[in-house]
Amino acid sequence: MKLRVLGCSGAEFPGHSPSGFLIDGSLLLDAGTVGAALDQEEQRGIEHILVTHCHMDHVRGIPFLADNIVVSGSSHKVQVIASAEVIAAIGSHVMNGLIWPDFSRIPTPQDPVLSYREVPVETEFQVGDYSVLACRVNHPVPALGYRVTRGGVSLLYTGDTGPTERIWELAGDLAALVVEVSFPSAMEEIALMTGHLTPALLAKELVKLSRPPRRVLITHLKPQYQEVIAGELASLAIPGLEILQDGATYQL
């Protein structure tokens, strides 16, 4: 699998974009960043979007993507795959005809650019050529992590989570783990309050895995604390650990 980082920050600043990870040009993990990183042809290559949760920095690219496709005159369709709670939140609070047009009814209700598909939790399902397993994680709103497998290669993306359990039990043999670390360890209290990890908390989570991932790719750093977090992560000496960078591509 080819993983392209569209955005991997826990906030938005110049050079730091919110979460969006494109697999093989067609499967998007979260949609905090889409149009700012992809040209028109690349946007039309997206077929499915797996959404972890409804926070703005993980869904805000979906309305713009839908608009770009319709305005271009393309007949391309995109399926948004998420929990029932996320689908309801997007329909009620984002593409509700007030904040943004409802692209699940545009250009026509019979043939819309966007469709929704509810995730079966802890039951493998197919998304194109990929086998996907969703698992609940620990965040203030309903949130999922996803294991994506193709050709015997598995990537686990936690999305936003604080200390959690079940996803590590289901992880299996991983070519890569994409896991968040939002705050430095000195800010553990706010990390736990908001459902995020610190380097110290990450170290405790990784020992819950039955086997270590070959690569541990860190995402969702708060840019204000990036240097501190990077230093703390380096001191952990975790094999295969790397901090993701916007625009980078990884072959798994």
Side-chain angles (χ1 to χ4, degrees), residues 26 85 90 99 122 131-132 139 141 143 146 163 191 210 223 239:
S26 64
E85 298 97 330
I90 293 173
I99 300 300
E122 295 196 22
S131 177
V132 180
H139 204 49
V141 296
Y146 293 105
S210 61

Side-chain angles (χ1 to χ4, degrees), residues 159-240:
D160 287 8
T161 186
T164 191
E165 300 295 334
R166 183 61 173 156
I167 197 167
W168 308 127
E169 297 172 1
L170 298 174
D173 184 19
L174 299 176
L177 167 65
V178 178
V179 58
E180 73 117 279
V181 175
S182 297
F183 294 100
S185 295
M187 299 181 69
E188 181 172 309
E189 183 176 354
I190 191 170
L192 294 173
M193 184 187 308
T194 57
H196 292 293
L197 295 176
T198 68
L201 291 171
L202 172 68
K204 294 177 181 179
E205 293 302 292
L206 292 180
V207 299
K208 299 175 183 178
L209 287 162
S210 61
R211 65 191 84 173
R214 292 188 283 281
R215 304 177 81 168
V216 179
L217 305 175
I218 305 299
T219 185
H220 211 266
L221 284 73
K222 297 294 184 183
Q224 304 96 316
Y225 303 106
Q226 182 158 344
E227 290 186 9
V228 177
I229 295 171
E232 292 182 355
L233 289 169
S235 71
L236 295 174
I238 296 170

Side-chain angles (χ1 to χ4, degrees), residues 33-252:
T33 299
V34 183
L38 300 176
D39 63 27
Q40 183 169 276
E41 183 177 351
E42 290 170 327
Q43 290 180 51
R44 288 200 297 260
I46 297 171
E47 297 178 352
H48 303 94
I49 305 173
L50 288 168
V51 181
T52 59
H53 64 293
C54 64
H55 281 159
M56 185 63 72
D57 61 328
H58 294 257
V59 302
R60 69 170 192 170
I62 298 173
F64 295 106
L65 172 64
D67 183 65
N68 290 342
I69 293 171
V70 170
V71 170
S72 73
S74 171
S75 60
H76 182 68
K77 304 292 187 295
V78 177
Q79 186 177 67
V80 176
I81 306 169
S83 66
E85 298 97 330
V86 169
I87 292 170
I90 293 173
S92 297
H93 303 296
V94 183
M95 287 184 282
N96 57 5
L98 179 63
I99 300 300
W100 201 255
D102 180 1
F103 280 98
S104 68
R105 300 180 59 81
I106 297 173
T108 69
Q110 296 74 32
D111 191 31
V113 63
L114 284 186
S115 63
Y116 296 104
R117 176 181 174 187
E118 185 177 339
V119 166
V121 176
E122 295 196 22
T123 300
E124 283 198 281
F125 60 99
Q126 286 298 123
V127 178
D129 295 331
Y130 305 90
S131 177
V132 180
L133 182 67
C135 180
R136 298 279 183 185
V137 293
N138 179 22
H139 204 49
V141 296
L144 298 171
Y146 293 105
R147 189 185 69 198
V148 179
T149 303
R150 181 184 183 187
V153 175
S154 292
L155 163 74
L156 179 63
Y157 172 48
T158 66
D160 287 8
T161 186
T164 191
E165 300 295 334
R166 183 61 173 156
I167 197 167
W168 308 127
E169 297 172 1
L170 298 174
D173 184 19
L174 299 176
L177 167 65
V178 178
V179 58
E180 73 117 279
V181 175
S182 297
F183 294 100
S185 295
M187 299 181 69
E188 181 172 309
E189 183 176 354
I190 191 170
L192 294 173
M193 184 187 308
T194 57
H196 292 293
L197 295 176
T198 68
L201 291 171
L202 172 68
K204 294 177 181 179
E205 293 302 292
L206 292 180
V207 299
K208 299 175 183 178
L209 287 162
S210 61
R211 65 191 84 173
R214 292 188 283 281
R215 304 177 81 168
V216 179
L217 305 175
I218 305 299
T219 185
H220 211 266
L221 284 73
K222 297 294 184 183
Q224 304 96 316
Y225 303 106
Q226 182 158 344
E227 290 186 9
V228 177
I229 295 171
E232 292 182 355
L233 289 169
S235 71
L236 295 174
I238 296 170
L241 186 142
E242 183 175 348
I243 296 174
L244 293 174
Q245 299 292 327
D246 288 9
T249 299
Y250 300 83
Q251 191 68 45
L252 307 179

